[in-house]
Amino acid sequence: MKPSPFNYVNPDTIEKALNALSKHNNAKLIAGGQTLVPMMNFRLSQPELLIDISNISKLKNITEDNKYIEIGSLLTHSNAIKSNCLKKYFPIISKAISNVAHHTIRNEGTIGGSIANADPASEWPLLVTLLESFIKVQNKKKKRKILYKDFFESHFITNLRDDEIITSIIIPKIKNSYGWSFLEEAQRDGDFAVVEVATIIEIGKNNLIKKARIAIGGVDEKVIRLKKIENLLVGFNLSENLCNFTKKDIDDQINPISDNHSSIEYKKHLSFVLIKKAINTAKEQILNVEDDR
Amino acid sequence: MIDKIKIETTVNNVKYSKRIEPRLLASDFIRENLHLTGTHVGCEHGVCGSCTIKINGLTSRSCLKFAIQLHGKRVETVESFSSNPQKKIILDTFKKFHALQCGFCTPGFLITVDELLQTENLENEKEIRKALSGNLCRCTGYENIIKAVLELKNNRKTK
Ligand SMILES: Cc1cc2nc3c(=O)[nH]c(=O)nc-3n(C[C@H](O)[C@H](O)[C@H](O)COP(=O)(O)OP(=O)(O)OC[C@H]3O[C@@H](n4cnc5c(N)ncnc54)[C@H](O)[C@@H]3O)c2cc1C
Ligand code: FES
Ligand code: FES
């Protein structure tokens, strides 16, 4: 047996889970277990109590109203890819989440687990940042709704407190028509990204860009938005060259570290290439849809 | 000491009732308590795929599950393949294409391929390679595994 001993509870409501969490100071929640169990097998994590929330059916739903889509924190990667509601409003989700790990891991891993884990090179944090989402969390006493930028703090560090559970992720719908793109460079299929980039370009009348969003992961302590480049794009017409920036403009906004596989310079170069490609992909997407009409 | 807890689970249509420690991994439970040694254990951190089983119809890494989480669930392991005609075809096609050498990775591939044939398009070799990226094989170089899956896919389509 690889993990160290622990007690196990399997609550079927949020209230029961929060109760167990508040009583114990070395308890861990387990959702899909696809990050936590490897850590326990290596004994990097040694909880004394494991609170299995995977049977709380209330946390598995996707609901929508006029303005928002709300995703329960236990939605698995596989079910996110399949969801018709998500496909309709945000086809980028299915595309990006298909790059999370492998088929079998996606059957178990959840959106809540991914964002609680806050790996700066993983796909859900990239999407949550791109889509300007809110994270709903609660403890025994109160509920909080946290904007993505206040939620992610650093490598594997979030604003979540020890006695809180993530219950859902709220994504604001986008009113304008928009183009999007998701690009990822990884060593092998299913690996974590070396660099990942996602964009959304919203357009108004006469194909003028109203708002641009560019999120990039793998090159800083958390997923970041390239605000300077985003602002640069606003007001441009889609038919114009949108990549009027230099590699230095990008270098100045990111802060990659080297690892066994890639140097800082390589990650900077890759970022520059992917960002240009991502912007042009989103642009082509809008123009092609218009051609089809 | 942590108390043992009783679980009841159905594996390959057989009901089992066992007392286990919460920290017992499902992979160890299946191999050592149930003596179903077709489920292999390689990396024990989710990377190699050799421990893949099905839980309530979906593939899952048994090294990333605790046996206690199998309580009330329906489990399938590679031992279920020879008696099920649909799955037997996968076994036979792997044999036909010599899609294995030492066989260590094979149970994981078989279970995964069974699911992929039902859920994915697998239009071409590239898609098959991507879909199978979560299963590692140190012997075959993958070529014959890909050929077997291509044939399985084509046969299902023409039916
Ligand atoms: C081989 C392999 C490859 C992978 N590749 C990728 C990849 O390319 N990209 C990627 O993004 N991920 C990858 N993953 C990780 C995978 O996506 C996980 O599913 C995800 O990171 C965690 O989700 P989980 O539900 O399994 O969380 P768990 O492992 O159950 O939990 C992870 C952490 O989050 C906490 N937690 C879980 N749910 C909640 C909640 N609702 N509220 C508060 N805290 C919570 C837990 O306490 C724990 O600390 C990979 C995993 C493996 C094994
Ligand atoms: S032993 Fe489970 S994935 Fe390798
Ligand atoms: S046949 Fe030996 S590892 Fe695949």
Side-chain angles (χ1 to χ4, degrees), chain A residues 140-155:
Chain A
K140 260 183 88 173
K141 295 207 187 86
K142 68 170 192 195
K143 296 181 178 175
R144 299 195 292 150
K145 194 172 141 186
I146 313 164
L147 185 61
Y148 72 96
K149 18 176 161 168
D150 303 320
F151 183 82
F152 298 113
E153 293 183 346
S154 185
H155 300 274

Side-chain angles (χ1 to χ4, degrees), chain A residues 1-8 34 37-38 40-43 50 52 99 102-105 107-108 189, chain B residues 2 21-25 44-46 59-61 63-66 68-69 115-116 119-120 130 133-134:
Chain A
M1 274 182 274
K2 302 192 97 186
S4 53
F6 57 81
N7 280 307
Y8 172 90
Q34 305 300 294
V37 184
M40 290 174 69
N41 284 351
F42 288 126
R43 297 209 177 185
L50 206 56
D52 187 346
N99 283 271
H102 316 285
H103 202 268
T104 300
I105 309 280
N107 284 342
E108 298 282 354
D189 284 327
Chain B
I2 304 271
E21 256 190 84
R23 65 168 164 155
L24 180 67
L25 291 171
E44 298 192 282
H45 61 276
T59 60
S60 177
R61 299 284 203 242
C63 72
L64 301 185
K65 276 276 162 206
F66 294 106
I68 199 165
Q69 296 178 294
E115 177 166 89
L116 293 174
T119 60
E120 304 300 298
K130 188 168 160 58
S133 65

